[in-house]
Amino acid sequence: MKSNLNSKLTEGASGLVFYSLTPPKITTDPERVIVIANNQMERLQHMPVDGLILYDIQDESTRTEKERTFSFIHTIAPEVYAQQYLGALKVPKIIYKSIANQTQEQFTSWLKENEAIDYAVFVGASSQQQIEATRFSLNDAYAARQQNCERLMLGGVTIPERHSKKGDEHLRIFHKMDKGCRFFVSQCVYNLNDTKNVLSDYYYHATEHGKAMAPIIFTLAPCGSLKTLQFMEWLGIEVPKWLYNDLKHSKDILESSVTTATKIAAEIISYAADKNIPIGFNIESISIKKEEIDAAHVLLQNVIQLVKPVAAPVVVEQVLAQEPEEVAAV
Amino acid sequence: MKSNLNSKLTEGASGLVFYSLTPPKITTDPERVIVIANNQMERLQHMPVDGLILYDIQDESTRTEKERTFSFIHTIAPEVYAQQYLGALKVPKIIYKSIANQTQEQFTSWLKENEAIDYAVFVGASSQQQIEATRFSLNDAYAARQQNCERLMLGGVTIPERHSKKGDEHLRIFHKMDKGCRFFVSQCVYNLNDTKNVLSDYYYHATEHGKAMAPIIFTLAPCGSLKTLQFMEWLGIEVPKWLYNDLKHSKDILESSVTTATKIAAEIISYAADKNIPIGFNIESISIKKEEIDAAHVLLQNVIQLVKPVAAPVVVEQVLAQEPEEVAAV
């Protein structure tokens, strides 16, 4: 029998809400990892989320020449973290898998070893340099999945900012759908204009060519400091100048960013509802500071209220978040 | 005694509403010009507008290599049209004066001959080519006004789209204020993001440097056809892709554009109110088709409702508009 999430994705349902986590650094003491995982599960178990995304963090230093805001440290592999530490949480796990630095053989072995994974999102190399090093592309990864484990429910990444430069992001989405993707998760969005532009072209292309639309899950994240804002820019997230100014001058940048992200969610919902475009949201915390994680949970509740207004209100539990006062390995 | 509009502009008041007209073509029969002017006055006399802008249309073919959507035909000079045909309308007239193709001598003569003008906006050359031809710049025009008729209340043009390319539109505004401008009229705006970006930088620059802000009057215009939409693009107006798509696929592009422009007005009001930035609106009809002028009047009423909700409701009179079924000489 298919799970609830699987059916919803297959049907192209709107209104899905995901939460996303970055696994702890590989250098973290295993007992500490258990504490972190238990805290995360405790916070999430009462939330009506449809899925939990676990990121696969790669060193993207070849993507840009700009200096990385936070230093890069490897994290526990998401499938390992999901299986060994988050097993008690009865929420579907969506495993990100970066294909950067993977050869065909390595990737196929990974697929076979992880047949138990139900949901995955393959992430392409972040630079041409990486692709050339291994001669293994995202299309190769899609083909390998089709050959080895077609039951794996596959999602793709979409980047609205890319649309304003190249204008073909909607075509990339349809191309990925042809290759087996049944849902899409965006990079964190702070630019409503870019977001509406890609949704618009997606919708009109689908209408004109009689194509079905897969759900697009928009990632939203609070921003607690100028440093996080700079890191978001390093990641390629386009923050409009007026919003950048407002956040920079805000007395409480974190609260402002939650209000802003909630407004963006409301506007995306309103825009998509008019056209029946299936959309959903993924809430993440860019940094792992306790207050930013708290803010991500406030944002999660706000978005759930917008998307699923009938869901019972949830009491926020004040549990200790992962490694307070420390910034993310993301 | 200073007029109401003069005081409001000097004080940096918010909430001003202008309407704008392009004078008829110089080839129009004088008796027909009287009919057109009477119709325009009849429609406007009951509207609580603070000012009537009269455009000075120039051939801008050296600005861009793209083919002009509508062919260019000279129009009656705005100061002539205001004085000879619209004298009975008791609304302050704001005379646009293009300095393109003017020499120092020609411009100074014009200033002296038109001492009776109370409000003017000088428009710079649209290409470097034009400036080089006459060796007369906008700064020269500002200096000439300061020397010859300082009582003339001066406005400047602002183009939010330019801000997204050069990032210095707010500094241009302050520079023009130093040269005597006391208000600014934007090019027609359909891009809320660009508009908020320039307002934001304007506001934070004023706050950080303890400067007063002059009112920024945002121009809004209905769009009745794909041809008008293309002409707007020729004029350099940035229409977001999603909005372009929606207008293109709309069953009633004119109605959609009025709804959109009204929403843009509401969002600008909301954004500016939070920061006490003085803003206002100028409603224009890009084309001179009857239904586009009708739509401009609906938009005008909508904007008045938003800006001056206490103003008495006005009955729209169905008077014949200028040259129905014909496109503008704009």
Side-chain angles (χ1 to χ4, degrees):
Chain A
M1 205 189 92
K2 278 187 179 178
S3 81
N4 201 14
L5 177 60
N6 194 306
S7 310
K8 284 182 181 173
L9 290 172
T10 308
E11 291 159 11
S14 204
L16 293 169
V17 178
F18 296 165
Y19 190 79
S20 47
L21 291 174
T22 300
K25 297 167 195 162
I26 45 162
T27 50
T28 314
D29 185 86
E31 284 177 21
R32 176 90 188 113
V33 176
I34 294 171
V35 173
I36 291 168
N38 286 346
N39 282 342
Q40 289 172 337
M41 289 194 287
E42 203 177 328
R43 289 196 86 151
L44 283 169
Q45 65 186 346
H46 302 299
M47 303 297 268
V49 293
D50 298 289
L52 176 65
I53 289 176
L54 292 159
Y55 290 126
D56 186 17
I57 304 303
Q58 298 295 317
D59 188 2
E60 294 185 26
S61 55
T62 58
R63 180 178 53 82
T64 170
E65 289 184 356
K66 288 182 196 156
E67 201 189 338
R68 203 179 197 278
T69 314
F70 299 130
S71 62
F72 176 75
I73 301 169
H74 277 285
T75 50
I76 299 172
E79 66 277 11
V80 172
Y81 190 60
Q83 204 202 340
Q84 294 185 10
Y85 296 93
L86 301 176
L89 185 68
K90 296 300 166 218
V91 171
K93 317 290 189 309
I94 299 142
I95 305 298
Y96 266 50
K97 176 65 181 170
S98 169
I99 66 139
N101 310 316
Q102 295 263 308
T103 62
Q104 176 88 41
E105 294 67 35
Q106 285 170 326
F107 185 76
T108 309
S109 301
W110 182 88
L111 274 181
K112 287 177 180 165
E113 283 162 20
N114 290 282
E115 277 178 345
I117 294 176
D118 294 315
Y119 306 91
V121 171
F122 300 159
V123 183
S126 61
S127 70
Q128 194 58 33
Q129 201 180 323
Q130 282 187 340
I131 296 173
E132 280 164 14
T134 58
R135 296 170 182 273
F136 184 66
S137 71
L138 202 51
N139 278 337
D140 297 330
Y142 290 147
R145 172 242 166 206
Q146 205 133 21
Q147 218 167 11
N148 294 284
C149 51
E150 225 186 325
R151 66 164 282 284
L152 177 65
M153 171 60 82
L154 198 64
V157 168
T158 181
I159 301 176
E161 279 86 349
R162 201 156 51 186
H163 197 56
S164 59
K165 289 187 195 97
K166 301 189 174 173
D168 65 351
E169 191 64 20
H170 60 301
L171 301 178
R172 284 171 186 252
I173 292 174
F174 284 114
H175 172 78
K176 287 179 180 176
M177 283 172 74
D178 290 343
K179 300 286 180 184
C181 291
R182 291 291 165 269
F183 65 102
F184 293 86
V185 183
S186 83
Q187 180 173 266
C188 174
V189 294
Y190 263 102
N191 187 320
L192 193 62
N193 213 36
D194 287 348
T195 306
K196 282 162 83 170
N197 282 347
V198 70
L199 270 184
S200 173
D201 282 337
Y202 181 52
Y203 166 77
Y204 284 111
H205 186 89
T207 308
E208 279 161 29
H209 296 82
K211 290 186 175 180
M213 287 181 282
I216 314 274
I217 312 295
F218 290 101
T219 298
L220 301 172
C223 172
S225 65
L226 269 186
K227 198 169 177 186
T228 302
L229 200 57
Q230 280 154 9
F231 185 52
M232 283 163 63
E233 290 199 319
W234 187 87
L235 289 168
I237 298 166
E238 221 280 295
V239 180
K241 189 72 195 298
W242 64 267
L243 185 53
Y244 185 93
N245 285 347
D246 278 359
L247 290 174
K248 189 177 143 193
H249 290 89
S250 168
K251 276 175 198 151
D252 187 340
I253 182 168
L254 193 58
E255 198 188 305
S256 291
S257 72
V258 169
T259 307
T260 298
T262 306
K263 272 191 201 168
I264 290 172
E267 290 219 43
I268 292 174
I269 290 169
S270 160
Y271 181 78
D274 282 349
K275 297 181 161 51
N276 269 320
I277 309 170
I279 52 107
F281 296 98
N282 165 42
I283 311 303
E284 76 168 293
S285 174
I286 302 263
S287 97
I288 55 171
K289 279 187 175 170
K290 182 184 178 318
E291 66 262 27
E292 295 207 17
I293 296 174
D294 286 346
H297 275 263
V298 172
L299 179 57
L300 177 61
Q301 285 189 302
N302 291 352
V303 168
I304 288 170
Q305 286 291 329
L306 288 173
V307 167
K308 312 177 181 203
V310 289
V314 179
V315 179
V316 184
E317 290 172 56
Q318 292 298 328
V319 294
L320 247 185
Q322 171 184 354
E323 299 174 61
E325 300 311 309
E326 199 175 326
V327 288
V330 181
Chain B
M1 204 188 96
K2 278 186 177 179
S3 81
N4 199 12
L5 177 60
N6 194 304
S7 311
K8 284 182 180 172
L9 290 172
T10 308
E11 290 158 11
S14 205
L16 292 170
V17 178
F18 295 166
Y19 189 79
S20 47
L21 290 174
T22 300
K25 296 166 195 162
I26 45 161
T27 50
T28 314
D29 185 86
E31 283 175 22
R32 176 91 188 111
V33 176
I34 294 172
V35 174
I36 291 167
N38 287 346
N39 282 341
Q40 289 171 338
M41 289 194 288
E42 201 176 330
R43 289 196 86 151
L44 283 169
Q45 64 186 348
H46 302 298
M47 303 298 268
V49 294
D50 298 290
L52 175 65
I53 289 176
L54 292 160
Y55 290 126
D56 185 17
I57 304 303
Q58 297 296 317
D59 188 1
E60 295 185 24
S61 56
T62 58
R63 180 177 54 82
T64 168
E65 291 185 355
K66 288 183 196 155
E67 201 188 339
R68 202 180 198 276
T69 314
F70 299 130
S71 61
F72 174 76
I73 300 169
H74 278 285
T75 50
I76 299 172
E79 67 278 11
V80 173
Y81 190 59
Q83 204 201 339
Q84 295 185 10
Y85 296 92
L86 301 177
L89 186 68
K90 297 297 165 219
V91 171
K93 318 289 189 310
I94 299 141
I95 306 298
Y96 266 49
K97 176 64 183 171
S98 169
I99 65 138
N101 309 315
Q102 295 262 308
T103 61
Q104 177 88 40
E105 294 68 34
Q106 285 171 326
F107 185 76
T108 309
S109 301
W110 182 88
L111 274 181
K112 288 178 180 167
E113 283 161 20
N114 290 283
E115 278 178 346
I117 294 176
D118 294 315
Y119 307 91
V121 171
F122 299 159
V123 184
S126 60
S127 71
Q128 194 57 34
Q129 201 179 322
Q130 283 186 340
I131 296 173
E132 281 163 14
T134 57
R135 298 173 181 270
F136 184 65
S137 72
L138 202 50
N139 279 337
D140 297 330
Y142 290 147
R145 172 243 167 207
Q146 207 133 19
Q147 218 166 8
N148 295 283
C149 52
E150 225 186 327
R151 66 163 281 284
L152 176 65
M153 170 60 83
L154 197 66
V157 168
T158 181
I159 301 175
E161 280 86 347
R162 202 156 51 187
H163 196 57
S164 58
K165 288 185 195 100
K166 302 190 174 171
D168 66 351
E169 192 63 21
H170 60 302
L171 301 178
R172 285 169 185 253
I173 292 174
F174 284 113
H175 172 79
K176 288 179 180 177
M177 283 171 73
D178 290 343
K179 300 286 179 182
C181 291
R182 290 291 165 267
F183 65 102
F184 293 87
V185 183
S186 84
Q187 179 173 266
C188 173
V189 295
Y190 263 102
N191 188 319
L192 193 62
N193 213 37
D194 287 348
T195 306
K196 283 161 81 169
N197 282 347
V198 69
L199 270 184
S200 173
D201 282 337
Y202 181 51
Y203 166 76
Y204 284 111
H205 186 90
T207 308
E208 279 161 29
H209 297 81
K211 291 185 176 181
M213 287 181 281
I216 313 274
I217 312 296
F218 289 101
T219 298
L220 301 172
C223 172
S225 67
L226 270 185
K227 198 169 176 186
T228 302
L229 200 56
Q230 280 154 9
F231 184 52
M232 283 162 61
E233 290 198 318
W234 188 87
L235 288 169
I237 298 166
E238 222 281 295
V239 180
K241 189 70 194 297
W242 65 268
L243 184 54
Y244 185 94
N245 285 346
D246 277 0
L247 290 175
K248 187 176 143 193
H249 290 88
S250 166
K251 276 175 199 151
D252 187 340
I253 182 170
L254 193 58
E255 199 188 304
S256 293
S257 72
V258 170
T259 306
T260 298
T262 306
K263 273 190 199 167
I264 289 172
E267 291 218 41
I268 292 174
I269 290 168
S270 160
Y271 180 78
D274 283 349
K275 298 181 160 53
N276 270 320
I277 310 169
I279 52 108
F281 296 98
N282 165 41
I283 311 304
E284 76 168 293
S285 174
I286 301 262
S287 98
I288 55 170
K289 279 187 176 171
K290 181 182 177 321
E291 65 262 28
E292 297 206 16
I293 295 175
D294 286 345
H297 275 264
V298 172
L299 179 56
L300 176 61
Q301 285 190 301
N302 290 352
V303 168
I304 288 170
Q305 287 291 327
L306 288 172
V307 167
K308 313 176 181 203
V310 287
V314 179
V315 179
V316 183
E317 290 171 56
Q318 293 298 325
V319 293
L320 248 184
Q322 173 183 355
E323 299 173 62
E325 300 309 311
E326 201 176 322
V327 287
V330 181

